Amino acid sequence: MRRNRFISRARHQADADTLAKLARRLSESGSRIEDRLWERRLVELVNDRLARGFGDAIEAALEELGSEHPRAYDDLADLAESCAESTTVEIDGKPHDALLLAIPLLAWSRYRLPATKLSPTVVENVLAQVVGHLAPRGARCAVADYLFSIDQLPESLGEVRDTADQLFSAAVQDGRHKVDAKSLREPIAMLADARYLLAAIVVAQGSPLFHWQQTGVDPDSKLSAMQAFREQLDNVVTPVMTGCKFRTLPPNAFHAALRQGDRELREFSLEAAIFYLKLSFDLSPSALQATIAPYDEKRERSAPEIRIGISRAGEDDLVIEGVVWPLLGDDEERSVEEIEAALRRLGVVRIVAHAHRFPLEFCDDCGAPMFPNAAGHSVHTEPPDEGEEQPSTPLH
Ligand SMILES: [Zn+2]
């Protein structure tokens, strides 16, 4: 859908420079009044570029600010994300505020996790929960008829805006957005992962976006509304989540919900691994040991993460299951403490933590991450099968 993909390089660079310049001034501002002025100019520019399909200029400005100007980077990233997921739409000549929402679900299963088209009944029921628990009176809402994996969701700012626009149009019509499933890539199979529903709320400009923002409604009623929404949604999606254990997280604006999903998925994945070993191989947490190690690669510009190798207690070489814990900007030392505490809560008390950094290694054959063992090496996981004739190397 990108219009005019062949924007000249010079024009693109000029755009990126202007955005970066404005973002730096915004990050230096010391008052709300000055903030607002820079923000207004940035919002106008960002919205214009998004509407014309030139989202790349914004990504280039972010690249330019990169590590040199972290505050300006954060300011521009915040603002650009917010512009991509929300906009003004005209309905009968009147301006309306529209927001794209995501509803994260964390799930794990011994079978393949669903990423699938939703039946009209499920869409209808999800829409009823959005209308009933989240939206204010008189709002127009929409739901996409697909349960997405993270790699199926729109990624660039321009893609987010395109998806948002589609849901906003659906909200103005009958509230059901039909997703072209053929264009989506196949998700990577994981024991535990996040799934997302997409929704939209459209209200008259300047009026409350959520039920609990309305005049005369207690702002704290948000808590019970969220609780009710999550309980009802669990019921609604149960037929889609057969064979899975899952948990619905609070819905939020698109980018905030994705961040929350990533964050909560970490401990959820650790729990899933421990439950899985108990359920499938009758290995209780007390019969396990965990090895924690930081993985990092400066050259690759990839984000650092902590990997956790799980072995039978006393087995220092063989890793039977592994969990990746991305740092997501968190402090490494604190994260190791957090992981240790989570393991103890789950009943795993034998823990080895390596201080030295491991290179971010993946299996050449299957692409699976390598995990640390207690002996201090990065190894491929091997399922805990007892058979004497089992080969000692993983099968691909
Ligand atoms: Zn492999």
Side-chain angles (χ1 to χ4, degrees), residues 31 262 279 301:
S31 69
D262 282 351
L279 208 66
R301 299 193 61 201

Side-chain angles (χ1 to χ4, degrees), residues 363 365-368 380 394 396:
C363 169
D365 290 311
C366 68
H380 203 293
H396 287 105

Side-chain angles (χ1 to χ4, degrees), residues 108-110 191 273-283 384:
W108 76 269
S109 175
R110 288 189 281 174
L191 175 68
I274 304 300
F275 291 156
Y276 165 70
L277 290 172
K278 174 72 186 145
L279 208 66
S280 297
F281 303 99
D282 201 27
L283 286 164

